[in-house]
Amino acid sequence: MLLTAPSAHADDQAPPTLTDAYGLTQVGAATGTATDFVITVTTAEVAGQHHIRVILPADYATDPTKRFPVFYLLHGASDDPADPGLAFPALTSASMITVIPDGGLRGWYTDWLDQTTAAGAQNWETFHIDQVIPFIDANLRTIATRQGRAVGGISMGGFGALHYAQDHPDLFGQVATFSGADDLSGDEAVIRGAVVATLTDVGVPLCGSSSLSGAGCALDFGPPVSSDAIFGTPYPVLNADWRWNAADPSTHMAALAGMGISIYTGNGAGNPTDPEFWVESAAHHVKDHLDALGIPYHFVDYGDGSQWGGDCQGGHTPGCWGQDLVDFVPRLEAAFASASTARPAAAAHRS
């Protein structure tokens, strides 16, 4: 284990020093504060450099023997953990460690089927599960057990959270999806089409001068790649789209039995041009499958957001996700606390 005690003379306002491990190499110095900082890493699993934001509890430095549960929050498409807006107040005031790893502008939290596209290596699931999680456990005082680890995600990250929890139920005791792309089946052709749009980068013409000036555009996801790059063909002809159906979280809810499950959605104020309109449908598909299986869950459909905080109008927006976390974080903290007496102080990571 790489974990070492901090120096007695360390700058208590500076981010802690983390040691390279598990195929991750840090680039440059961490930025931020002692309790909210961003590191940059490279890995052979995913092309380029990648940010990882770490939010530590306020009391992390005061008791060098105390260990903390970890919440892995997966961001949405076109976002970046370096964005300070992802450090939601509910997270910065929490009693747990939060880790927000880079998921790419359109990585979709999956090891892509095609590794030879213009995007380069795209093994996102391997990066997160086999590298980021053990790296965090080695460098920080985590409770490295299933009961001390949760995963949640926003939009694209909502898919990622359910996907990771279903693929690795031994790693996570809690899973949450906030406005998640939770249904990739043919029942949600619009969401499947949105995934394809990020791959083929069809929105770039709408970026106008912002893309040309280098200012960035939320509709520019990088070099165009084939619609088949991640899951093979998306077209439901003679079961050719079987990989999409295999990856669809909504129809594989049985894999989450025994796990705490939380689902949050709005309704886009009934406007089909708002992504949340379609997200709501996907969330209800997840709910229906859980009901059929008799698996308990926490479900919130805040509709147009009129009763969900002053910054939420029911759309696919940070104002709603911030309020989701206000509701979710205390519940997660309570779940961690209730499990604390039954779990060992630490355990080895398993992939």
Side-chain angles (χ1 to χ4, degrees), residues 27 29-31 37-42 48-54 73 75 79-83 86 99-104 124 127-128 132:
V27 179
T31 60
F37 59 93
V38 176
I39 64 170
T40 303
V41 301
T42 60
Q49 297 184 357
H50 307 284
H51 296 127
I52 301 173
R53 180 175 292 274
V54 178
L73 177 64
H75 66 76
D79 216 333
D80 184 323
D83 175 6
L86 288 174
V99 178
I100 308 174
D102 187 17
W124 292 98
F127 168 45
H128 294 137
V132 173

Side-chain angles (χ1 to χ4, degrees), residues 299-311:
F299 185 87
V300 177
D301 185 339
Y302 44 83
D304 64 4
S306 58
Q307 304 299 315
W308 200 242
D311 294 327

Side-chain angles (χ1 to χ4, degrees), residues 112-152:
W112 288 21
L113 179 65
D114 186 353
Q115 296 290 322
T116 65
T117 72
Q122 299 288 298
N123 291 310
W124 292 98
E125 185 168 356
T126 297
F127 168 45
H128 294 137
I129 299 299
D130 293 345
Q131 295 184 314
V132 173
I133 290 178
F135 172 86
I136 292 297
D137 286 340
N139 276 286
L140 298 174
R141 299 195 310 277
T142 66
I143 298 173
T145 65
R146 178 180 185 270
Q147 294 82 3
R149 191 183 292 118
V151 62

Side-chain angles (χ1 to χ4, degrees), residues 17 66 77-79 138 146 154 191 225 236 241 261 281 294 300 333:
T17 299
K66 184 177 181 180
S78 81
D79 216 333
R146 178 180 185 270
I154 297 167
I191 291 181
V225 300
D241 62 336
I261 305 168
S281 174
V300 177
E333 290 174 319

